[in-house]
Amino acid sequence: MEAAVAEPGNLAGVRHIILVLSGKGGVGKSTISTELALALRHAGKKVGILDVDLCGPSIPRMLQAQGRAVHQCDGGWVPVFVDQEQTVSLMSVGFLLEKPDEAVVWRGPKKNALIKQFVADVAWGQLDYLVVDTPPGTSDEHMAAVEALRPHSPLGAIVVTTPQAVSVGDVRRELTFCKKTGLRVIGVVENMSGFVCPHCAECTNVFSRGGGEELARHAGVPFLGSVPLDPKLTRSLEEGRDFIQEFPHSPAFHALSAIAQKVLETPAQLS
């Protein structure tokens, strides 16, 4: 696909944009988006998270930002900063709902319009990385996000799967989506790859293992790593705590840090 010409705007100060995708629901895209952003932050980067999973905006809870207000400035909407140093900023439809349990019952055109508004009207400022958490599948919302973001910065995708064959089969379609839309795949992440025992730290392959790596090999794209199920990670997300900072000895920490390092080492290329 031909690259569009970017117009000056609120993404002018964003150096890299990463879409987190999967053809399957429940694989942990929001978990990977959140922890990748935190790992990049601890690597000294300034990071924004754009939550375009409009029907399931869970990242505000994962970052203990529920109920925060979005304010207006001359440049548009000001994202919510989740840390005192203002190194991680977040925009989500969850901030725009009157009640946190309110369902988003919108047709496609209204969803697409909000995604385009998020891209055009959020005043991100200077960011090293903008991580975009997406809903499952290859729907209109994905097309709207890719088309709106493509002109602005080097754009790439991280594709998330779990080890089971059923998940890998669905995620394979997401790689086809990336190919058809000309979206560069930074790599594949296998989430829920084994279970870390909270008592002895031994990792047991509850589902299976290796499906994500095999998928990446067949598709000819990088494999970024496997992240195990870890009760400490689950608890951190539910309580809105910084897992990367608090549990540096966890196997999940080492996996997530290695994935972030591979992302940092990925050369920027225009998609």
Side-chain angles (χ1 to χ4, degrees):
M1 298 180 71
E2 292 184 2
V5 178
E7 298 178 1
N10 284 326
L11 289 176
V14 179
R15 296 181 59 199
H16 305 278
I17 301 175
I18 300 172
L19 282 87
V20 180
L21 304 170
S22 181
K24 187 75 173 173
V27 300
K29 289 183 303 300
S30 296
T31 296
I32 296 300
S33 296
T34 299
E35 298 305 325
L36 174 62
L38 292 174
L40 291 171
R41 172 209 175 191
H42 286 294
K45 303 301 180 183
K46 197 167 184 180
V47 187
I49 307 175
L50 176 57
D51 183 3
V52 298
D53 191 349
L54 303 183
C55 295
S58 55
I59 291 186
R61 175 173 179 170
M62 292 179 172
L63 291 172
Q64 208 172 17
Q66 283 180 303
R68 303 276 289 276
V70 173
H71 301 286
Q72 293 273 349
C73 68
D74 292 341
W77 285 334
V78 179
V80 170
F81 292 101
V82 302
D83 61 328
Q84 291 184 344
E85 297 79 17
Q86 298 190 351
T87 55
V88 179
S89 52
L90 170 64
M91 177 54 73
S92 169
V93 70
F95 297 134
L96 308 180
L97 302 177
E98 291 185 5
K99 300 177 182 178
D101 296 331
E102 184 179 346
V104 178
V105 187
W106 294 349
R107 295 188 184 275
K110 190 171 182 180
K111 291 181 180 180
N112 296 347
L114 180 61
I115 290 171
K116 292 176 181 177
Q117 189 173 5
F118 275 164
V119 171
D121 294 348
V122 178
W124 294 105
Q126 299 295 317
L127 293 179
D128 295 299
Y129 289 91
L130 177 63
V131 178
V132 184
D133 185 43
T134 67
T138 55
S139 64
D140 285 351
E141 293 145 82
H142 299 81
M143 289 299 301
V146 171
E147 290 172 1
L149 291 166
R150 186 189 302 280
H152 294 279
S153 294
L155 185 64
I158 290 176
V159 179
V160 182
T161 186
T162 52
Q164 307 98 306
V166 171
S167 175
V168 170
D170 288 341
V171 174
R172 187 175 288 112
R173 300 184 186 97
E174 197 73 35
L175 290 169
T176 303
F177 167 83
C178 293
K179 186 175 181 179
K180 286 184 175 180
T181 57
L183 183 59
R184 179 176 61 105
V185 177
I186 297 171
V188 172
V189 171
E190 181 179 289
N191 195 27
M192 307 183 197
S193 181
F195 171 74
V196 178
C197 175
H199 304 293
C200 68
E202 182 179 348
C203 190
T204 303
N205 295 325
V206 178
F207 301 121
S208 61
R209 188 176 177 87
E213 188 168 9
E214 184 179 354
L215 174 65
R217 182 171 56 82
H218 280 296
V221 299
F223 179 65
L224 299 179
S226 302
V227 181
L229 285 164
D230 187 335
K232 294 176 181 176
L233 174 57
T234 303
R235 190 167 61 250
S236 294
L237 290 165
E238 298 216 337
E239 297 175 358
R241 294 159 61 189
D242 188 340
F243 172 80
I244 298 295
Q245 182 177 33
E246 294 188 26
F247 298 102
H249 302 297
S250 163
F253 166 86
H254 295 294
L256 290 163
S257 297
I259 290 167
Q261 187 59 41
K262 289 179 181 178
V263 169
L264 289 168
E265 294 170 355
T266 300
Q269 298 173 359
L270 289 172
S271 59

